[in-house]
Amino acid sequence: MKPAARPAPAWFAIAGLLALLGQMPARPVAALLEESCAGQCRIAGAEGRWWAGDARLLWRDGDAWLDLGTLGWRLLPADGGYARVTLGAGRIVWRELRRLDIDSIALPARVVLGDPRLGLPGGRWQGELAIATGELQLGPDGIAGGRGEVRWRQAASSLLADRPLGDYRAAWRWDGRGAPEAEASGGRPGEIDVDGRLADGRFSGRVRLSGAARPALERYLSVAAAPDSAVDGGYRFDFPIR
């Protein structure tokens, strides 16, 4: 009599299941990402596996779609950490359990500033907004603090007659308690000089207009800022941030 066949060890079955899962394509992940956008984005042309894939990220812009570049994702990437997401030359890395590092994530300004949840005035925002550097601390309920630098390059808006406004940067920090803090500066050489500070839920600072920018922008600036009698072409602003 032959001995009864022994059942395959449990680990063999688990290894087979993992191998099968490892071959799952990237398309289901792309579909989940697209669903999370609530109709605002599309994930097209997904290739690779669910744990290491690439696709094109498209963003709704009225009746058209903007191609924001190649979106990639990797779980347990070769350079360490838990996960990495890339968009063009930028990346978000989950390197430590409670920290996300962000580097050079750039988007058209109208994609970010045109989001109705921000409550900003309507208008076609121009230029590029980039998180040059960023670090987010994670907690049980989401983001628990962080710091970083944001840049707005080649700024302009139809609200201001599409006039070139220059380049701006803001360094921000938040300890997870109270309101975030930030310092902002920038402008257009010879025409616009801006510096401001966000603290205790208020944004305050000054603007100085010179040259051709002064007659072109003063009528807009006077709506939100008060003339500074001590500075020629100067204005000061101070308003709450909700």
Side-chain angles (χ1 to χ4, degrees):
M1 177 182 290
K2 294 183 179 180
R6 295 181 180 180
W11 61 262
F12 185 80
I14 293 174
L17 179 60
L18 291 176
L20 180 62
L21 289 174
Q23 296 303 309
M24 286 182 59
R27 287 189 296 275
V29 175
L32 288 174
L33 292 173
E34 186 171 302
E35 185 177 349
S36 70
C37 293
Q40 192 62 36
C41 75
R42 288 179 179 171
I43 312 295
E47 297 181 348
R49 304 300 178 189
W50 68 270
W51 51 271
D54 298 280
R56 303 296 296 183
L57 176 59
L58 307 176
W59 198 266
R60 183 184 295 276
D61 184 30
D63 295 330
W65 291 90
L66 291 175
D67 187 345
L68 301 184
T70 300
L71 175 71
W73 63 90
R74 303 288 186 275
L75 300 182
L76 302 177
D79 57 353
Y82 297 95
R84 182 177 70 246
V85 175
T86 57
L87 180 60
R91 62 179 184 170
I92 302 173
V93 181
W94 184 17
R95 198 176 301 281
E96 298 179 10
L97 184 60
R98 297 203 172 189
R99 194 180 93 182
L100 287 178
D101 292 333
I102 308 172
D103 181 35
S104 302
I105 293 290
L107 295 169
R110 64 182 182 269
V111 168
V112 181
L113 300 179
D115 190 322
R117 292 172 294 183
L118 293 179
L120 296 174
R124 196 166 184 84
W125 303 94
Q126 300 172 31
E128 179 186 76
L129 272 175
I131 302 178
T133 59
E135 176 186 307
L136 298 179
Q137 301 297 328
L138 307 178
D141 300 321
I143 298 174
R147 58 188 176 85
E149 181 179 297
V150 179
R151 297 176 182 173
W152 187 6
R153 306 184 184 99
Q154 299 181 339
S157 171
S158 60
L159 294 172
L160 302 174
D162 292 325
R163 185 175 183 82
L165 303 177
D167 301 326
Y168 299 84
R169 62 176 294 277
W172 65 274
R173 57 193 172 276
W174 182 45
D175 62 5
R177 302 184 298 273
E181 296 183 349
E183 290 84 34
S185 62
R188 182 175 172 85
E191 291 193 351
I192 306 170
D193 183 37
V194 178
D195 67 68
R197 183 170 185 265
L198 174 65
D200 299 323
R202 301 191 70 84
F203 187 48
S204 59
R206 65 171 187 85
V207 180
R208 183 176 183 181
L209 300 178
S210 307
R214 186 170 179 178
L217 299 177
E218 272 189 326
R219 64 182 183 273
Y220 302 108
L221 190 58
S222 61
V223 175
D228 185 350
S229 58
V231 179
D232 186 36
Y235 286 82
R236 291 193 173 275
F237 56 88
D238 184 3
F239 51 86
I241 300 294
R242 289 182 291 177

